[in-house]
Amino acid sequence: MITKEKVHSILKGYDKKKIKIATICSHTSLQLFHGARQEGMKTIGICLEKYKKTYDAFPFGKPDEYIIVDNYKDIPADELAEKNAIVIPHGSFVEYTGKNLEELAVPMFGNRLSLMWEGDRNKLFKWMRDSGLQIPELFTPETIDRPCIVKLPGAKGGKGYTIVSSPAEFKKKVKEEKFIIQEYIPGVRVYPHYFYSPLSKGGYEVRNGSLELMSIDRRLESNIDESYRATLAGVTVEPSFTVIGNEPVILRESLVREIMEMGANVVESSYRLFQGMPGPFCIEMICTENMKFYVFEISARIVAGTNLYPLGSPYTCYSYKEPMSTGRRIAREIKRAAKLNKLEKVIY
Ligand code: AMP
């Protein structure tokens, strides 16, 4: 893996007044380019030729310039570095670049190590436990004694997940070799989007910095969501969990206290385990009828649910006079860090 020192030495050569925001045209890039534009920063979209047309359809969301590639695994690091680019990782970025992300010789916003912790299930569980989060019970194929969700590896948006209630059902339904089996938690899913700034003071203070709640969503998954329609229509459906979109959520205000505490604990733990996590992240959880939160994942980067709020959210309006998306917040942090000569604090 490329060292932090190497990344910071590349960053040293940058013209701090001409920093550009770069990412792959997918996932949350419209929001990221839009937010950077609002902050007066120039943007670069790494794009396949066939997708450029889609981005050109959104004049305020498209990048200022494109770098057209044949394959996302061939991201031109030298060209990006020459252009003073800081790369913003998002879900598709992590998935498309795979292992290449570890070696990518371009300054990246946030702590690249956090993406490694998110992507490795053992590390992720260590992180969730160290954060003191309540997590659903884990089972082996032999010990299944209640409804469980079987998850396949990789950030594939819930694709291929299945529900089983016994060892026999597991044997019948699951043919894959790599999986985890987790107790199925009934309740309402909640995905709060946070932003941690090690540069800010005041507000919700955590570790010499400040934690912000940017927004909350829940995912729309086909076909578990709205499966009642199929049931009413007399169609039997096997529940599946393929993410196809997102919808907004606002929480009971008393629950926001706990949500903030959980976010703070995840940040504190990131410092204990891998030197911190500046920037956006999301804790994916289910709230039961007893108002207990069970966490099943942490995303250590911007998540697609933030796309609901390109002009701010019912939380950011209490912190900012202007519309503040997570994309814009990232651009602002980079701008501020450059001005304070503290880019090293938010880049790896
Ligand atoms: P994940 O890949 O862990 O983000 O999970 C994908 C989807 O599966 C989530 O958005 C939930 O709808 C569902 N899910 C994951 N874990 C659980 C669980 N322990 N209990 C109930 N539903 C879950």
Side-chain angles (χ1 to χ4, degrees):
M1 180 161 180
I2 190 167
T3 62
K4 200 181 239 184
E5 290 69 33
K6 173 75 188 150
V7 173
H8 286 177
S9 76
I10 299 170
L11 190 61
K12 272 216 168 68
Y14 274 29
D15 179 343
K16 307 288 183 307
K17 292 205 175 76
K18 290 191 180 151
I19 286 175
K20 293 181 179 172
I21 301 271
T23 199
I24 287 178
C25 290
S26 187
H27 195 263
T28 40
S29 62
L30 289 168
Q31 186 203 151
L32 290 166
F33 298 142
H34 180 246
R37 188 167 273 122
Q38 286 171 313
E39 289 297 301
M41 296 181 83
K42 293 287 181 207
T43 55
I44 304 169
I46 303 152
C47 195
L48 302 185
E49 181 65 47
K50 62 181 176 183
Y51 297 149
K52 183 173 171 291
K53 202 172 167 195
T54 308
Y55 285 84
D56 285 335
F58 301 100
F60 303 145
K62 72 174 195 177
D64 293 299
E65 63 181 289
Y66 290 96
I67 295 180
I68 300 294
V69 294
D70 294 330
N71 187 322
Y72 294 126
K73 298 234 179 320
D74 306 324
I75 291 191
D78 291 347
E79 190 179 346
L80 285 167
E82 269 164 34
K83 291 178 187 285
N84 292 301
I86 290 179
V87 162
I88 318 293
H90 53 54
S92 304
F93 199 110
V94 174
E95 194 180 328
Y96 296 157
T97 54
K99 284 296 253 185
N100 294 11
L101 185 129
E102 294 182 25
E103 295 303 334
L104 192 68
V106 189
M108 186 176 283
F109 182 63
N111 177 1
R112 196 178 300 228
L113 280 177
S114 68
L115 299 172
M116 311 301 130
W117 277 74
E118 163 193 331
D120 175 325
R121 279 239 154 94
N122 289 329
K123 285 196 161 88
L124 176 65
F125 276 99
K126 187 171 175 191
W127 185 10
M128 293 194 294
R129 288 197 181 100
D130 188 76
S131 306
L133 303 170
Q134 173 91 20
I135 55 182
E137 202 174 322
L138 293 173
F139 290 84
T140 63
E142 297 75 32
T143 59
I144 298 169
D145 64 358
R146 66 195 77 174
C148 289
I149 182 163
V150 183
K151 302 185 181 190
L152 308 179
K156 298 271 188 297
K159 212 163 178 205
Y161 290 10
T162 186
I163 306 292
V164 298
S165 296
S166 66
E169 195 181 358
F170 176 88
K171 217 170 155 195
K172 199 169 133 212
K173 282 187 171 171
V174 182
K175 302 295 169 219
E176 286 77 11
E177 289 190 350
K178 280 197 166 167
F179 49 77
I180 64 158
I181 308 170
Q182 205 171 57
E183 176 183 16
Y184 186 91
I185 308 288
V188 173
R189 288 159 304 129
V190 186
Y191 302 76
H193 321 134
Y194 304 87
F195 190 95
Y196 177 65
S197 169
L199 307 177
S200 299
K201 296 272 170 259
Y204 199 95
E205 287 189 357
V206 181
R207 273 245 162 193
N208 300 323
S210 183
L211 180 69
E212 298 168 40
L213 178 62
M214 302 302 292
S215 43
I216 309 177
D217 80 300
R218 67 175 175 179
R219 294 176 181 166
L220 286 172
E221 293 166 358
S222 186
N223 54 30
I224 183 123
D225 295 320
E226 299 204 23
S227 56
Y228 63 93
R229 287 172 59 103
T231 306
L232 284 175
V235 180
T236 312
V237 290
E238 270 288 315
S240 53
F241 301 85
T242 307
V243 179
I244 57 105
N246 307 78
E247 59 188 6
V249 170
I250 190 91
L251 275 184
R252 278 171 79 144
E253 203 163 301
S254 56
L255 293 175
V256 173
R257 299 174 203 137
E258 209 172 326
I259 290 284
M260 293 305 289
E261 241 171 74
M262 290 162 91
N265 290 340
V266 165
V267 172
E268 291 281 6
S269 168
S270 75
Y271 277 92
R272 282 194 293 274
L273 298 174
F274 50 86
Q275 300 144 40
M277 183 175 48
F281 68 99
C282 173
I283 310 180
E284 306 175 8
M285 56 182 99
I286 297 171
C287 188
T288 66
E289 60 188 334
N290 303 322
M291 292 200 277
K292 267 177 88 173
F293 288 104
Y294 284 85
V295 172
F296 53 88
E297 205 156 284
I298 302 171
S299 292
R301 51 171 169 80
I302 187 169
V303 290
T306 59
N307 286 333
L308 286 159
Y309 309 103
L311 294 177
S313 79
Y315 294 106
T316 53
C317 64
Y318 303 126
S319 303
Y320 295 93
K321 285 191 184 132
E322 61 282 26
M324 185 57 65
S325 67
T326 296
R328 184 174 186 177
R329 184 66 189 83
I330 291 170
R332 185 166 287 190
E333 189 79 348
I334 292 173
K335 237 173 67 177
R336 186 146 176 259
K339 201 168 159 202
L340 298 171
N341 220 359
K342 287 188 173 168
L343 271 171
E344 282 79 6
K345 281 198 124 183
V346 297
I347 301 290
Y348 176 4

